[in-house]
Amino acid sequence: MCTGGDVTDDDVIAVGGGPITVVAVHGIQGTRGAWLPLARQLADRCTFILPNLPGRGLAKAPASEDDCTLDAYARELGRTITRHVDGPFVLAGWSMGVSVALAYLSQVRTTAAWPLPAELLLVSGTPYLDAVAWFPPSSPDALLEAIATREQRLGLREAADHRTVAWTWNAIRRTDQRGELAHITTPARVIHGSEDADCPLTHGAMLADGVPRAEFHVLQGAGHSVLTERTEDIAAYLRKHWPAPAAAHGTRTYPRETA
């Protein structure tokens, strides 16, 4: 059982005590809670570092739409990694978290401000947000209603502030990151559900085909919420490919999940 620690101002916790460090980013409407089932399944193998992006959980709310761009979220991710990781790590993203991870890699490539991950884990994502329709074009009130409906459809037990989600969608929905994929030198594991209606399977294939050192793992019959729908299948796949190292990676001090 993980113990101790007050939540920090950026709302970061660690789950598990294994030697493989995984920094995992949630989706547009979720929180770090989306990763908790998998983190608990792999607690003996991994230590998951789970931040909440602004406007999620107890993390500080964004001041404006300018704080909700992929680049702004990537900078938040960079600060989290700088503060809480010291050594090799896996960078993981689910849904919009994949887009944030790609933005982080782009910033590292152009500015070298933060460390490169040893590996990527890209789940239910897309490099082409401009080609998905998570929310239809609509008035501000209708968008908030659509956000509430999608939150229920995805079964999010802990969800982001609706205004933050609206600002985020307006800021990111025209994004095309396909041109960045060829520059990624980090090996990647792309996991995608065959029945994903939010990021159809072709988007997972775009990621796997575009990243030079990517492996594509399709979960037949799974939808967008594979982290909770198929937790055991993902954990089994990762255990096969992430053998426990002999020595733990170094990490800095951070709060741990409380029961």
Side-chain angles (χ1 to χ4, degrees):
M1 180 182 298
C2 299
T3 60
D6 295 329
V7 176
T8 64
D9 59 350
D10 57 357
D11 201 11
V12 178
I13 62 170
V15 180
I20 300 174
T21 301
V22 183
V23 181
V25 189
H26 57 72
I28 187 171
Q29 288 186 259
T31 68
R32 66 186 183 208
W35 285 97
L36 285 175
L38 184 63
R40 289 166 178 157
Q41 284 272 336
L42 295 172
D44 63 321
R45 186 68 51 89
C46 303
T47 298
F48 275 73
I49 298 175
L50 302 177
N52 273 332
L53 294 174
R56 283 84 175 176
L58 298 179
K60 183 179 178 180
S64 71
E65 191 173 301
D66 291 339
D67 297 323
C68 299
T69 65
L70 293 178
D71 283 341
Y73 288 149
R75 289 190 292 270
E76 290 289 337
L77 176 60
R79 285 189 280 270
T80 295
I81 291 169
T82 299
R83 293 174 60 185
H84 300 293
V85 178
D86 185 10
F89 67 99
V90 176
L91 179 56
W94 170 66
S95 193
M96 185 196 74
V98 170
S99 305
V100 175
L102 295 179
Y104 173 88
L105 293 173
S106 178
Q107 291 189 23
V108 170
R109 180 173 66 85
T110 56
T111 68
W114 304 297
L116 271 174
E119 187 174 313
L120 301 173
L121 176 62
L122 309 177
V123 183
S124 303
T126 177
Y128 194 15
L129 283 167
D130 197 22
V132 298
W134 292 344
F135 309 104
S138 57
S139 67
D141 287 344
L143 176 56
L144 292 174
E145 183 177 344
I147 287 167
T149 299
R150 185 172 184 267
E151 177 184 312
Q152 294 179 350
R153 177 171 61 82
L154 293 178
L156 298 174
R157 296 181 180 180
E158 185 181 20
D161 168 72
H162 289 182
R163 183 185 69 171
T164 298
V165 177
W167 281 352
T168 301
W169 180 242
N170 288 333
I172 73 172
R173 63 190 179 93
R174 297 301 183 196
T175 303
D176 184 353
Q177 296 171 298
R178 290 176 295 173
E180 291 294 323
L181 300 183
H183 298 290
I184 297 174
T185 58
T186 305
R189 301 192 187 282
V190 178
I191 298 178
H192 218 94
S194 66
E195 305 306 314
D196 191 332
D198 294 82
C199 286
L201 186 59
T202 52
H203 289 258
M206 265 191 269
L207 283 170
D209 291 342
V211 176
R213 300 170 64 194
E215 177 177 295
F216 194 24
H217 183 60
V218 178
L219 292 171
Q220 294 297 329
H224 194 60
S225 298
V226 292
L227 288 177
T228 52
E229 290 177 359
R230 302 286 287 274
T231 306
E232 292 186 0
D233 290 337
I234 296 175
Y237 167 77
L238 293 176
R239 282 183 181 278
K240 185 185 304 182
H241 295 284
W242 289 354
H249 298 162
T251 57
R252 297 178 183 172
T253 302
Y254 38 76
R256 292 198 170 259
E257 180 197 17
T258 56

Short mmCIF file of all heavy atoms in Angstrom, two decimals, residues 115-150:
data_model
loop_
_atom_site.label_atom_id
_atom_site.label_comp_id
_atom_site.label_asym_id
_atom_site.label_seq_id
_atom_site.Cartn_x
_atom_site.Cartn_y
_atom_site.Cartn_z
N PRO A 115 14.52 16.31 -20.32
CA PRO A 115 15.10 15.04 -20.78
C PRO A 115 14.18 14.28 -21.72
O PRO A 115 12.95 14.36 -21.62
CB PRO A 115 15.32 14.27 -19.48
CG PRO A 115 14.32 14.84 -18.53
CD PRO A 115 14.20 16.29 -18.88
N LEU A 116 14.79 13.54 -22.62
CA LEU A 116 14.04 12.62 -23.47
C LEU A 116 13.64 11.39 -22.67
O LEU A 116 14.43 10.89 -21.87
CB LEU A 116 14.88 12.18 -24.66
CG LEU A 116 14.84 13.01 -25.93
CD1 LEU A 116 15.86 12.46 -26.92
CD2 LEU A 116 13.45 13.02 -26.55
N PRO A 117 12.44 10.88 -22.87
CA PRO A 117 12.07 9.60 -22.23
C PRO A 117 12.83 8.46 -22.87
O PRO A 117 13.29 8.54 -24.01
CB PRO A 117 10.57 9.50 -22.51
CG PRO A 117 10.36 10.32 -23.74
CD PRO A 117 11.35 11.43 -23.69
N ALA A 118 12.94 7.36 -22.11
CA ALA A 118 13.56 6.15 -22.64
C ALA A 118 12.62 5.40 -23.57
O ALA A 118 13.07 4.65 -24.45
CB ALA A 118 14.00 5.25 -21.50
N GLU A 119 11.31 5.60 -23.38
CA GLU A 119 10.31 4.89 -24.16
C GLU A 119 9.01 5.68 -24.11
O GLU A 119 8.78 6.47 -23.18
CB GLU A 119 10.10 3.49 -23.61
CG GLU A 119 9.20 2.59 -24.46
CD GLU A 119 9.16 1.16 -23.93
OE1 GLU A 119 10.24 0.61 -23.64
OE2 GLU A 119 8.05 0.61 -23.79
N LEU A 120 8.17 5.47 -25.11
CA LEU A 120 6.84 6.08 -25.15
C LEU A 120 5.77 4.99 -25.05
O LEU A 120 5.93 3.89 -25.60
CB LEU A 120 6.62 6.85 -26.45
CG LEU A 120 7.59 7.99 -26.76
CD1 LEU A 120 7.33 8.52 -28.17
CD2 LEU A 120 7.45 9.10 -25.74
N LEU A 121 4.68 5.32 -24.38
CA LEU A 121 3.49 4.48 -24.34
C LEU A 121 2.32 5.35 -24.75
O LEU A 121 1.91 6.25 -24.00
CB LEU A 121 3.28 3.91 -22.93
CG LEU A 121 2.02 3.06 -22.72
CD1 LEU A 121 2.03 1.83 -23.61
CD2 LEU A 121 1.88 2.67 -21.26
N LEU A 122 1.79 5.13 -25.96
CA LEU A 122 0.78 6.00 -26.55
C LEU A 122 -0.53 5.22 -26.68
O LEU A 122 -0.64 4.31 -27.51
CB LEU A 122 1.26 6.51 -27.91
CG LEU A 122 2.66 7.14 -27.93
CD1 LEU A 122 3.07 7.53 -29.34
CD2 LEU A 122 2.73 8.34 -26.98
N VAL A 123 -1.52 5.59 -25.89
CA VAL A 123 -2.75 4.81 -25.77
C VAL A 123 -3.94 5.63 -26.27
O VAL A 123 -4.18 6.75 -25.79
CB VAL A 123 -2.98 4.38 -24.30
CG1 VAL A 123 -4.23 3.50 -24.20
CG2 VAL A 123 -1.77 3.66 -23.74
N SER A 124 -4.68 5.08 -27.21
CA SER A 124 -5.95 5.69 -27.68
C SER A 124 -5.77 7.13 -28.14
O SER A 124 -6.60 7.99 -27.88
CB SER A 124 -7.01 5.65 -26.56
OG SER A 124 -7.24 4.34 -26.13
N GLY A 125 -4.67 7.38 -28.85
CA GLY A 125 -4.37 8.75 -29.26
C GLY A 125 -4.42 8.97 -30.75
O GLY A 125 -4.72 8.06 -31.54
N THR A 126 -4.09 10.19 -31.13
CA THR A 126 -4.04 10.58 -32.54
C THR A 126 -2.98 11.65 -32.74
O THR A 126 -2.80 12.50 -31.86
CB THR A 126 -5.40 11.11 -33.03
OG1 THR A 126 -5.28 11.54 -34.40
CG2 THR A 126 -5.88 12.28 -32.19
N PRO A 127 -2.30 11.65 -33.87
CA PRO A 127 -1.43 12.78 -34.20
C PRO A 127 -2.16 13.86 -34.98
O PRO A 127 -1.54 14.84 -35.41
CB PRO A 127 -0.36 12.12 -35.07
CG PRO A 127 -1.11 11.06 -35.81
CD PRO A 127 -2.17 10.55 -34.84
N TYR A 128 -3.48 13.69 -35.16
CA TYR A 128 -4.24 14.56 -36.07
C TYR A 128 -5.57 14.92 -35.42
O TYR A 128 -6.63 14.45 -35.84
CB TYR A 128 -4.45 13.81 -37.39
CG TYR A 128 -4.92 14.63 -38.56
CD1 TYR A 128 -4.86 16.02 -38.56
CD2 TYR A 128 -5.42 14.01 -39.70
CE1 TYR A 128 -5.28 16.76 -39.64
CE2 TYR A 128 -5.85 14.73 -40.79
CZ TYR A 128 -5.78 16.11 -40.76
OH TYR A 128 -6.20 16.84 -41.83
N LEU A 129 -5.51 15.77 -34.41
CA LEU A 129 -6.72 16.17 -33.68
C LEU A 129 -7.74 16.87 -34.59
O LEU A 129 -8.94 16.82 -34.33
CB LEU A 129 -6.35 17.09 -32.52
CG LEU A 129 -5.76 16.40 -31.28
CD1 LEU A 129 -5.15 17.43 -30.35
CD2 LEU A 129 -6.83 15.59 -30.56
N ASP A 130 -7.26 17.50 -35.65
CA ASP A 130 -8.16 18.20 -36.56
C ASP A 130 -9.08 17.24 -37.31
O ASP A 130 -10.04 17.66 -37.96
CB ASP A 130 -7.34 19.03 -37.55
CG ASP A 130 -8.18 20.08 -38.25
OD1 ASP A 130 -9.24 20.46 -37.72
OD2 ASP A 130 -7.77 20.54 -39.34
N ALA A 131 -8.79 15.94 -37.22
CA ALA A 131 -9.60 14.95 -37.95
C ALA A 131 -10.51 14.15 -37.02
O ALA A 131 -11.15 13.19 -37.48
CB ALA A 131 -8.70 14.00 -38.73
N VAL A 132 -10.57 14.50 -35.74
CA VAL A 132 -11.50 13.82 -34.84
C VAL A 132 -12.58 14.81 -34.42
O VAL A 132 -12.40 16.02 -34.48
CB VAL A 132 -10.79 13.24 -33.59
CG1 VAL A 132 -9.78 12.19 -34.00
CG2 VAL A 132 -10.14 14.33 -32.76
N ALA A 133 -13.70 14.29 -33.99
CA ALA A 133 -14.84 15.14 -33.61
C ALA A 133 -15.31 14.77 -32.22
O ALA A 133 -16.38 14.19 -32.03
CB ALA A 133 -15.97 14.98 -34.63
N TRP A 134 -14.47 15.08 -31.23
CA TRP A 134 -14.88 14.78 -29.86
C TRP A 134 -16.09 15.61 -29.45
O TRP A 134 -16.95 15.15 -28.71
CB TRP A 134 -13.71 15.06 -28.90
CG TRP A 134 -12.57 14.09 -29.08
CD1 TRP A 134 -12.61 12.90 -29.74
CD2 TRP A 134 -11.24 14.24 -28.60
NE1 TRP A 134 -11.38 12.29 -29.71
CE2 TRP A 134 -10.52 13.08 -29.01
CE3 TRP A 134 -10.58 15.22 -27.86
CZ2 TRP A 134 -9.17 12.91 -28.69
CZ3 TRP A 134 -9.23 15.04 -27.55
CH2 TRP A 134 -8.55 13.89 -27.96
N PHE A 135 -16.16 16.83 -29.98
CA PHE A 135 -17.30 17.70 -29.72
C PHE A 135 -17.67 18.40 -31.02
O PHE A 135 -16.80 18.85 -31.76
CB PHE A 135 -16.97 18.75 -28.65
CG PHE A 135 -16.38 18.17 -27.39
CD1 PHE A 135 -15.03 18.28 -27.14
CD2 PHE A 135 -17.18 17.49 -26.49
CE1 PHE A 135 -14.47 17.72 -26.00
CE2 PHE A 135 -16.63 16.94 -25.34
CZ PHE A 135 -15.27 17.06 -25.10
N PRO A 136 -18.97 18.50 -31.32
CA PRO A 136 -19.38 19.15 -32.57
C PRO A 136 -19.24 20.67 -32.48
O PRO A 136 -19.29 21.24 -31.38
CB PRO A 136 -20.86 18.75 -32.70
CG PRO A 136 -21.30 18.55 -31.28
CD PRO A 136 -20.11 17.99 -30.55
N PRO A 137 -19.04 21.34 -33.61
CA PRO A 137 -19.04 22.80 -33.60
C PRO A 137 -20.37 23.31 -33.06
O PRO A 137 -21.44 22.85 -33.47
CB PRO A 137 -18.88 23.16 -35.08
CG PRO A 137 -18.31 21.94 -35.71
CD PRO A 137 -18.84 20.78 -34.95
N SER A 138 -20.32 24.23 -32.11
CA SER A 138 -21.56 24.64 -31.45
C SER A 138 -21.34 25.92 -30.67
O SER A 138 -20.22 26.43 -30.57
CB SER A 138 -22.04 23.52 -30.50
OG SER A 138 -21.04 23.22 -29.55
N SER A 139 -22.41 26.41 -30.11
CA SER A 139 -22.35 27.58 -29.25
C SER A 139 -21.66 27.21 -27.94
O SER A 139 -21.55 26.02 -27.60
CB SER A 139 -23.75 28.09 -28.96
OG SER A 139 -24.47 27.14 -28.17
N PRO A 140 -21.20 28.19 -27.16
CA PRO A 140 -20.55 27.87 -25.87
C PRO A 140 -21.43 27.03 -24.95
O PRO A 140 -20.94 26.07 -24.33
CB PRO A 140 -20.28 29.26 -25.28
CG PRO A 140 -20.09 30.14 -26.48
CD PRO A 140 -21.07 29.63 -27.49
N ASP A 141 -22.72 27.33 -24.87
CA ASP A 141 -23.61 26.56 -23.98
C ASP A 141 -23.78 25.13 -24.49
O ASP A 141 -23.77 24.17 -23.70
CB ASP A 141 -24.97 27.24 -23.87
CG ASP A 141 -24.92 28.50 -23.03
OD1 ASP A 141 -23.94 28.69 -22.29
OD2 ASP A 141 -25.88 29.30 -23.11
N ALA A 142 -23.91 24.97 -25.81
CA ALA A 142 -24.07 23.64 -26.38
C ALA A 142 -22.79 22.82 -26.22
O ALA A 142 -22.85 21.60 -26.01
CB ALA A 142 -24.45 23.74 -27.86
N LEU A 143 -21.65 23.49 -26.30
CA LEU A 143 -20.39 22.78 -26.10
C LEU A 143 -20.30 22.24 -24.67
O LEU A 143 -19.90 21.09 -24.45
CB LEU A 143 -19.21 23.71 -26.38
CG LEU A 143 -17.82 23.13 -26.12
CD1 LEU A 143 -17.58 21.85 -26.91
CD2 LEU A 143 -16.74 24.18 -26.45
N LEU A 144 -20.69 23.05 -23.69
CA LEU A 144 -20.67 22.59 -22.31
C LEU A 144 -21.60 21.40 -22.11
O LEU A 144 -21.28 20.46 -21.37
CB LEU A 144 -21.05 23.73 -21.37
CG LEU A 144 -20.04 24.87 -21.26
CD1 LEU A 144 -20.60 26.01 -20.41
CD2 LEU A 144 -18.72 24.38 -20.66
N GLU A 145 -22.74 21.42 -22.78
CA GLU A 145 -23.67 20.29 -22.70
C GLU A 145 -23.06 19.04 -23.33
O GLU A 145 -23.19 17.93 -22.79
CB GLU A 145 -24.98 20.66 -23.39
CG GLU A 145 -26.05 19.58 -23.29
CD GLU A 145 -27.37 20.00 -23.93
OE1 GLU A 145 -27.56 21.21 -24.17
OE2 GLU A 145 -28.21 19.10 -24.16
N ALA A 146 -22.38 19.22 -24.47
CA ALA A 146 -21.74 18.08 -25.13
C ALA A 146 -20.61 17.51 -24.27
O ALA A 146 -20.39 16.29 -24.25
CB ALA A 146 -21.20 18.51 -26.49
N ILE A 147 -19.93 18.38 -23.57
CA ILE A 147 -18.85 17.93 -22.67
C ILE A 147 -19.43 17.05 -21.56
O ILE A 147 -18.88 15.99 -21.23
CB ILE A 147 -18.11 19.15 -22.10
CG1 ILE A 147 -17.24 19.78 -23.20
CG2 ILE A 147 -17.26 18.76 -20.88
CD1 ILE A 147 -16.69 21.15 -22.85
N ALA A 148 -20.54 17.49 -20.99
CA ALA A 148 -21.18 16.70 -19.93
C ALA A 148 -21.65 15.34 -20.45
O ALA A 148 -21.50 14.31 -19.77
CB ALA A 148 -22.35 17.48 -19.34
N THR A 149 -22.18 15.31 -21.68
CA THR A 149 -22.66 14.06 -22.27
C THR A 149 -21.51 13.10 -22.52
O THR A 149 -21.60 11.90 -22.22
CB THR A 149 -23.40 14.37 -23.58
OG1 THR A 149 -24.53 15.20 -23.31
CG2 THR A 149 -23.87 13.07 -24.25
N ARG A 150 -20.40 13.60 -23.06
CA ARG A 150 -19.25 12.74 -23.34
C ARG A 150 -18.62 12.22 -22.05
O ARG A 150 -18.16 11.08 -21.98
CB ARG A 150 -18.21 13.50 -24.17
CG ARG A 150 -17.01 12.64 -24.61
CD ARG A 150 -16.14 13.42 -25.56
NE ARG A 150 -15.04 12.61 -26.09
CZ ARG A 150 -13.82 12.54 -25.57
NH1 ARG A 150 -13.54 13.25 -24.47
NH2 ARG A 150 -12.89 11.80 -26.10
#
